[in-house]
Amino acid sequence: MRSTVRVGNAGGYWGDDPRALESQVLGPDPPEFVTADFLAEITMSILQKQRARDPEAGYARDFVSQVAPLLGAVRERGITVITNAGGVNPGACARAVLRAATEAGVELTVAVVGGDDLLGRLDAFLDDGVGFDNLETGDPFAPRRGDVLSANAYFGAEPIVRALAHRPDVVVTGRVTDTGITLAPIRHAFGWDPHDWDRIAGGIVAGHLIECGVQATGGNFTDWERVPGLGNEGFPVVEVEEDGAFVLTKQSRTGGLVSPAVVREQLLYEMGDPERYLCPDATVDFSGLTVAAAGEDRVRVRGARGGPPPGDLKVSASVRGGFSARGSLVVGGPDVRGKTAALETAFRDRLQSDCDAAGVPFPAEFRVDLAGADAAQRGLADAARLDPSEGLVRFAAWSPTREPLRVFRKLLPSFILSGPAGLAVTGGAPAISEVVGYWPALVPRDRVPATVRVIRVSAGGTETVMAEEEVRFAGPTGEPPRQSRAAKAPVPDSPGTGTVIEAPLGAVAHARSGDKGDAANIGIVGRSGACYEWLREQLTAELVGEWVRDVARGPIVRYEVPGLWALNFILERALGGGGTRSLLLDPQGKTLAQGILRRRVRIPAALLATIPPENRPLSPVFAAPFSAS
């Protein structure tokens, strides 16, 4: 029986490094399976529009152009490429790959996983009592039925596992979860029972860790100064063991950094409740995970626990969401902040006057931000101390109709000559864009079967359908009991009380933040076990809520993840509606973690001595207390 299976990632979103797939397939130590994630909620609506114009469109064409010159190497090296680049038209994507194989004279087998696209079945579901009410807001779906642009159920690993039984070279899917495209080859290789929850959970954790590409190998890492070859990090590879534990590494002779600190950060990325990470394949408990160095650029992760998945599949629908426009002016100093305030007041007054004259309402949402002066972190920095020599003033508006934004777009260029001194042009009149809203919902999993079709093309171009089947989801589902299985964090002796100093939080913690719809998550990780214990006692939801009072309009929820020395905070209603709906400068909350780390706290000076050298910050802002102590 095999001892490990190696799965590599070659992209975390549509638009990621176009050399990623080549680096994995042609690398010195290629993995057996290579996954590539192309889909996000907004991507599905874009692809649906493309398919409406052209029946052979609706997939990520970039994947075909990337994989076409590699098909010979894929065959020769025995690699299987798995991707959700099929979008809303996986059949067309597969046909494009088969054409590329024919043109290259390569014999190739392609499996297609479909059935996730619900757009044409929505009315039948509604008639049968499936409501599709909004998971986040509770709003009813029926009144928005006419605004729907796309609707896709999230499949898990099961249909890909079925497809892999036919030994394809390439698997093309529609909306399969980011973790599912990694879990499937692991399940296939080891023959795991789909109800072997703890092993399945380990595979899901591996998929979660590598689904965003080089974020697992040093990208977006708090201590970015430690990352060799920043911007040229090697893409990640997981070496999964039969019990579900795994080692994270990367292609050799590439930039980047794989360390316990990097891994802890990425495991918390876009995390909700760490004890109830819901997937179509299992419900996963991350709280007992542990990470440990296992050699240079090698980190072992173990301790995942799993239980039955929910009885419903998540549905990601996109709906028409009105219109937005954004434009900017450069403002030169002195007194950039004063000039920006004057611009905002003058522009708002004039926009109201011009809208009244045109007989249209003022835009439903309007904001002005000074980039470089706490605009993205929204109150987390000490804005009073920020005195930029110049700034980018960004004007943004949203309206359910175009008319108010036509007034907005004509007005902005006029301020170039009528505003305060030091204005510079950054563009003409801003464009008006149609906004696509995100609508999450649920559908009973037994109502949405997947389809698998396997096609082989000979080197001469003859196609043969090797298999066709329907995959229905069965087995136990339901809510696992709410029972924490968190591991005890290994904590050294307490540093005691002693001298107390004031320091930025980043001296004793690192962090990563991301988006969950209109909510943001901030994972804060102790730089040592003792630092975690201090964080657990001091960083209450109330304290963090005070820090983020200008960010979140909803409640703040705190979760403990002791195995990772971490706390995970959920900030509800923090992203201005999320995605393309948001007018915020940072609509995905990516900068919030760094803002949190700048907050000043009082810590025992002895706490700094518990932090090993490899975990100490290099940023002068965060490292200053070490040289002073």
Side-chain angles (χ1 to χ4, degrees), residues 338-414:
K339 291 176 180 177
T340 300
L343 268 173
E344 179 175 1
T345 298
F347 191 93
R348 186 185 294 271
D349 291 346
R350 178 68 186 275
L351 181 59
Q352 182 67 68
S353 174
D354 287 7
C355 283
D356 290 344
V360 300
F362 190 83
E365 292 183 23
F366 171 77
R367 65 180 294 124
V368 177
D369 291 299
L370 176 59
D374 199 37
Q377 295 178 351
R378 293 178 282 156
L380 290 173
D382 186 355
R385 296 184 182 180
L386 300 174
D387 185 23
S389 60
E390 71 274 326
L392 184 73
V393 182
R394 180 176 174 273
F395 301 78
W398 176 86
S399 170
T401 61
R402 289 182 182 271
E403 286 72 20
L405 301 186
R406 292 192 176 109
V407 178
F408 171 91
R409 74 180 299 271
K410 291 178 180 178
L411 179 60
L412 185 58
S414 72

Side-chain angles (χ1 to χ4, degrees), residues 54-435:
D54 177 2
E56 282 298 296
Y59 61 89
R61 296 179 185 271
D62 291 5
F63 169 71
V64 179
S65 62
Q66 290 169 21
V67 79
L70 303 173
L71 293 176
V74 166
R75 286 283 294 176
E76 291 168 9
R77 293 189 164 204
I79 297 169
T80 302
V81 178
I82 305 171
T83 181
N84 57 17
V88 299
N89 202 347
C93 183
R95 288 190 289 274
V97 173
L98 290 166
R99 284 195 299 272
T102 298
E103 291 170 4
V106 175
E107 179 180 309
L108 199 75
T109 302
V110 178
V112 189
V113 174
D116 60 292
D117 190 349
L118 308 184
L119 189 62
R121 291 178 275 169
L122 288 178
D123 293 330
F125 277 120
L126 287 170
D127 290 342
D128 287 345
V130 179
F132 295 114
D133 293 344
N134 192 297
L135 269 178
E136 294 181 354
T137 66
D139 292 341
F141 178 75
R144 299 299 304 275
R145 173 65 185 91
D147 294 327
V148 177
L149 300 171
S150 67
N152 295 78
Y154 282 80
F155 287 159
E158 183 64 31
I160 303 177
V161 174
R162 298 283 192 93
L164 290 172
H166 300 282
R167 303 174 64 84
D169 304 294
V170 178
V171 180
V172 175
T173 80
R175 198 46 162 136
V176 170
T177 60
D178 304 345
T179 58
I181 59 176
T182 297
L183 171 63
I186 301 168
R187 265 193 57 191
H188 164 74
F190 288 125
W192 286 344
D193 185 287
H195 309 142
D196 193 345
W197 304 125
D198 288 351
R199 285 185 171 90
I200 297 295
I204 290 172
V205 171
H208 172 76
L209 186 57
I210 68 172
E211 68 189 26
C212 290
V214 297
Q215 280 195 174
T217 57
N220 287 325
F221 180 44
T222 294
D223 298 335
W224 55 270
E225 303 94 334
R226 293 190 179 278
V227 180
L230 190 69
N232 193 34
E233 297 92 341
F235 276 75
V237 175
V238 284
E239 299 173 352
V240 186
E241 298 162 10
E242 202 275 336
D243 65 354
F246 63 89
V247 169
L248 173 72
T249 185
K250 62 183 181 68
Q251 282 282 348
S252 60
R253 300 195 292 277
T254 60
L257 173 68
V258 178
S259 72
V262 169
V263 170
R264 289 186 183 105
E265 273 195 24
Q266 185 57 22
L267 285 172
L268 293 166
Y269 182 62
E270 294 183 341
M271 177 62 61
D273 181 346
E275 295 184 18
R276 292 183 64 253
Y277 186 81
L278 303 178
C279 294
D281 301 291
T283 298
V284 184
D285 181 353
F286 279 60
S287 64
L289 289 177
T290 59
V291 302
E296 184 178 358
D297 286 320
R298 295 177 63 82
V299 172
R300 181 178 297 280
V301 181
R302 63 188 327 126
R305 296 290 183 266
D312 297 313
L313 296 178
K314 184 178 178 180
V315 174
S316 173
S318 59
V319 295
R320 292 184 178 88
F323 303 87
S324 66
R326 298 167 176 82
S328 302
L329 299 173
V330 172
V331 179
D335 196 17
V336 170
R337 297 174 66 81
K339 291 176 180 177
T340 300
L343 268 173
E344 179 175 1
T345 298
F347 191 93
R348 186 185 294 271
D349 291 346
R350 178 68 186 275
L351 181 59
Q352 182 67 68
S353 174
D354 287 7
C355 283
D356 290 344
V360 300
F362 190 83
E365 292 183 23
F366 171 77
R367 65 180 294 124
V368 177
D369 291 299
L370 176 59
D374 199 37
Q377 295 178 351
R378 293 178 282 156
L380 290 173
D382 186 355
R385 296 184 182 180
L386 300 174
D387 185 23
S389 60
E390 71 274 326
L392 184 73
V393 182
R394 180 176 174 273
F395 301 78
W398 176 86
S399 170
T401 61
R402 289 182 182 271
E403 286 72 20
L405 301 186
R406 292 192 176 109
V407 178
F408 171 91
R409 74 180 299 271
K410 291 178 180 178
L411 179 60
L412 185 58
S414 72
F415 271 71
I416 295 169
L417 300 182
S418 63
L423 295 189
V425 179
T426 57
I432 299 174
S433 301
E434 185 175 359
V435 172

